[in-house]
Amino acid sequence: MIKGKCKKGIDSIKKTGRKVGKKIKTEFNEFKKDPKQFIKKRWLQIKKACANNKEFVAFVFVSVLNPTLLRFLTVHNYFAIKPLLADLSIVLLIGAFGFLIRPKRRNAYYIGWNIFLTLLCFINSIYYTFYSSFSSISLLSTSRFVVDVGDSVTENVFQIKDLIYWVGTILLILYYRHLKRKKYIKGSANRKKFIHSIVAAGVCTFFFVITLTGLEIGRFAKQWNREYIVTVFGIYTYHANDLVQSIKPKIISLFGYDKAMKQFKSYYEERNTKSHKNKYTNMYKGKNILVIHAESLQDFVIGLKINGQEVAPNFTKIAKEGLYFDHFYTQVSVGTSSDSEFTFNTSLMPSYNGTVFVSYFDREYVSTPKLLKEKGYYTFSMHANNGTFWNRNVMHENLGYDKFYSKSDYDVEDDDIIGLGLSDESFFKQSIAYLKEISAKNQPYYGTMITLSNHTPFSDTEKYGEFKASLTGKDSNQKQIEYPYLEGTKLGNYLKSVHYADKAFGEFMEQMKKDGLFKNTVLVIYGDHDARLPKNDFVRMYNYDKETDGLLSKDDEKYFDFDNYQYELNRKTPFIVWTQDHPMKKTVHNVMGMYDAQPTLGNMFGFTNSYALGHDIFDIKSNNIVVFPNSNWVTNKVYYNAQKGEYLALTKDPINEDYIKECNEYAGNLLDVSNDVVVYDLIKKERESSESYTEEVSNN
Ligand code: GP9
Ligand code: MN
């Protein structure tokens, strides 16, 4: 019986689908034949349809007006057509189903939906006032979904402008009552109208989708830049995507738990996580740690001079004075900055699906701030951007930071803006005041400062100060001549941006020294990921021919074949450990990954994470392997490309196929286990099961 009903249902859906398809085809053909006539005819039809379906039109109007108002009052994108089309598509789709309901009940259906959609706008309006961002279902478990109760005591939760969204709903209800009184509502369910509305929704969706850019689609998939998504996709699509993204990790974690736990246990049993004592063990135990997360700082700028001028003199100086790792690779996935923060602090890899900071913020991680807190450290982070970016205000708490100084803790003046937000110069200056306070009250401390100015697209060139990416020389008549070189390229702009970030960092160093803030403090610097610069700009940089303002010939002995492998190898970023009082003046050339940072620092500062996937570089030395989220890996000997199954030998030593096989197996296991730790919350589960085991034993 049920089977029969199901079949009937499926057949009916198929039939409707075929009808919709046929309708779209005929419409399209008609349009092709005579577009002018088509538009004229349709316009008349739409007018007639509106007059005949007043309740539907009223619902669509109010439900599209509210999100438009929300965008007006929050992100101020007044004349954006894209979010309007997106909202309209969704509302037409919802409205279409109303035609499958008897007219008597149809109004209740529309009012129900309208209340729900208005509620979404209303909540987001309040949320935006407090957090300058939009709410997310995935944050339901945290207090940040709705405004903290504490806030409501001191400030008004509702503002008059938040109530404006309900005006439409009230008018809609009154209008429906009026229509009822006028006996306008009659007839029965209407499949034809349903199909027409679905087609209208489809047309809006089509026009919306064709206007989307790759960047917009990419950001939509990541879902972390909530403000941006709402400005392009509208609040309804944003929330639909938010729902999918929030449920996805929960669904994935429902399956395969037992297998994951088994693999996790055997992996850590076999793995020898103990670092042997070495020269660096406990070297800096008990000292303050100040970490600089340097946005998009690549390693090739260290020591680089353009036309005799150093690109990054201050970072280069620190690298020379300190302990400098010049083959350090970040291991980021779609979570870029946040992935770096995660891996640096936990020695785990980014997840296969979604971003740890956004989708798996509620799992348990063994992190550097937490481990140091156990040793009496005070922990904090500083970043002058919105606290909601990358869900930092939630995830920094989870990672164990006692305090997160975000945008609201800084004065962000308009003329202090570079790129994404507050300039590094101003950020550092304002942070020093906080650092003085912290250092006076809390010793030892662990702090992370996340810079911002050196962020793609590096287009604020007029704000970066004087740095020329061109070359000067003399022509045959000894006349000064300028060669364009990298001027006008993205790489050229990047170098200007780095030069600015370096200057800001240099000023910060000077002030820190003046204020005596480096006493008993170790400075740690890492570049958070590469700057995603075009390969051809590097080809130009390394093969520039002044004579032709083009490239050297490939036969030229000076020609450097900057191929895809070189590009990948060049993505490394600097990692530096520096103290004012004990210059180490040492460069470590062994390959190292972001996941080796925690074990290496752990050895120096006296803490251990038994779930770390990386190694203390002073223990593993030249045997290290850096695994990337896309399964590529690099050792001192080989760069392996997993997509192509090919590799580049980095030394003259012959490469044994067994070596490749072993490294591939190692990489595969490591990535699986890391992903399982994140998705299935295995550290928490493991701890819970060993706690209950201990309890059982002691009870017996
Ligand atoms: C955002 C900043 C940049 O606040 O950290 O993030 P990214 O785009 O590099 O991931
Ligand atoms: Mn970044």
Side-chain angles (χ1 to χ4, degrees), residues 322-384:
L323 188 56
Y324 167 43
F325 304 86
D326 69 351
H327 281 73
F328 181 77
Y329 291 90
T330 63
Q331 294 160 299
V332 300
S333 179
V334 289
T336 44
S337 274
S338 70
D339 283 345
S340 257
E341 286 181 53
F342 176 67
T343 305
F344 179 80
N345 278 311
T346 62
S347 190
L348 292 172
M349 296 290 289
S351 59
Y352 290 156
N353 282 293
T355 297
V356 177
F357 264 45
V358 178
S359 303
Y360 304 99
F361 60 85
D362 52 354
R363 312 300 206 243
E364 188 168 319
Y365 305 108
V366 179
S367 66
T368 302
K370 281 191 203 162
L371 291 165
L372 286 172
K373 263 164 80 159
E374 284 169 14
K375 300 199 177 287
Y377 275 68
Y378 172 72
T379 59
F380 64 90
S381 56
M382 294 171 166
H383 184 48

Side-chain angles (χ1 to χ4, degrees), residues 205-451:
T205 311
F206 173 77
F207 284 113
F208 169 64
V209 170
I210 56 167
T211 58
L212 290 177
T213 64
L215 179 80
E216 286 163 352
I217 295 168
R219 292 209 166 161
F220 183 69
K222 291 180 199 169
Q223 179 75 6
W224 63 269
N225 194 340
R226 294 185 239 152
E227 243 188 311
Y228 182 89
I229 296 175
V230 172
T231 55
V232 178
F233 293 84
I235 194 77
Y236 300 147
T237 316
Y238 158 76
H239 268 296
N241 190 34
D242 177 58
L243 183 71
V244 173
Q245 302 284 355
S246 322
I247 292 172
K248 216 160 90 183
K250 303 216 162 40
I251 299 207
I252 296 170
S253 60
L254 285 179
F255 305 99
Y257 169 77
D258 292 331
K259 193 172 158 244
M261 192 50 147
K262 209 172 145 202
Q263 192 182 359
F264 165 84
K265 280 191 171 159
S266 69
Y267 186 84
Y268 282 105
E269 260 163 33
E270 278 167 34
R271 194 185 153 90
N272 185 5
T273 46
K274 275 238 152 44
S275 168
H276 305 97
K277 262 194 163 205
N278 53 53
K279 195 172 131 188
Y280 297 89
T281 309
N282 295 334
M283 184 176 232
Y284 293 134
K285 202 170 178 182
K287 289 205 186 294
N288 298 323
I289 310 171
L290 189 60
V291 180
I292 309 280
H293 166 121
E295 178 59 45
S296 302
L297 186 68
Q298 284 192 230
D299 188 69
F300 75 92
V301 302
I302 303 292
L304 179 71
K305 285 182 182 168
I306 301 286
N307 214 23
Q309 191 183 4
E310 273 198 87
V311 175
N314 295 301
F315 286 120
T316 304
K317 184 168 177 276
I318 294 292
K320 278 187 191 154
E321 289 176 3
L323 188 56
Y324 167 43
F325 304 86
D326 69 351
H327 281 73
F328 181 77
Y329 291 90
T330 63
Q331 294 160 299
V332 300
S333 179
V334 289
T336 44
S337 274
S338 70
D339 283 345
S340 257
E341 286 181 53
F342 176 67
T343 305
F344 179 80
N345 278 311
T346 62
S347 190
L348 292 172
M349 296 290 289
S351 59
Y352 290 156
N353 282 293
T355 297
V356 177
F357 264 45
V358 178
S359 303
Y360 304 99
F361 60 85
D362 52 354
R363 312 300 206 243
E364 188 168 319
Y365 305 108
V366 179
S367 66
T368 302
K370 281 191 203 162
L371 291 165
L372 286 172
K373 263 164 80 159
E374 284 169 14
K375 300 199 177 287
Y377 275 68
Y378 172 72
T379 59
F380 64 90
S381 56
M382 294 171 166
H383 184 48
N385 205 355
N386 248 327
T388 50
F389 258 68
W390 285 129
N391 204 21
R392 279 189 179 107
N393 47 12
V394 172
M395 195 56 189
H396 277 205
E397 203 175 310
N398 182 349
L399 286 177
Y401 287 111
D402 290 320
K403 162 99 185 140
F404 173 30
Y405 295 83
S406 65
K407 191 174 177 181
S408 51
D409 297 289
Y410 292 85
D411 286 330
V412 184
E413 303 291 336
D414 281 354
D415 48 1
D416 261 350
I417 303 275
I418 292 187
L420 283 193
L422 186 66
S423 70
D424 282 0
E425 257 175 311
S426 184
F427 165 64
F428 278 133
K429 261 187 211 145
Q430 295 187 49
S431 300
I432 291 224
Y434 289 127
L435 287 171
K436 277 187 195 160
E437 218 177 280
I438 292 166
S439 134
K441 280 197 213 144
N442 307 286
Q443 292 276 338
Y445 65 74
Y446 171 79
T448 304
M449 300 176 81
I450 301 168
T451 67

Side-chain angles (χ1 to χ4, degrees), residues 306-307 469-471 483-487 489 540-542 544 549:
I306 301 286
N307 214 23
S470 56
L471 300 176
Y483 304 100
Y485 192 35
L486 299 172
E487 272 302 329
T489 65
R540 183 173 171 87
M541 179 161 102
Y542 290 117
Y544 185 61
D549 188 32

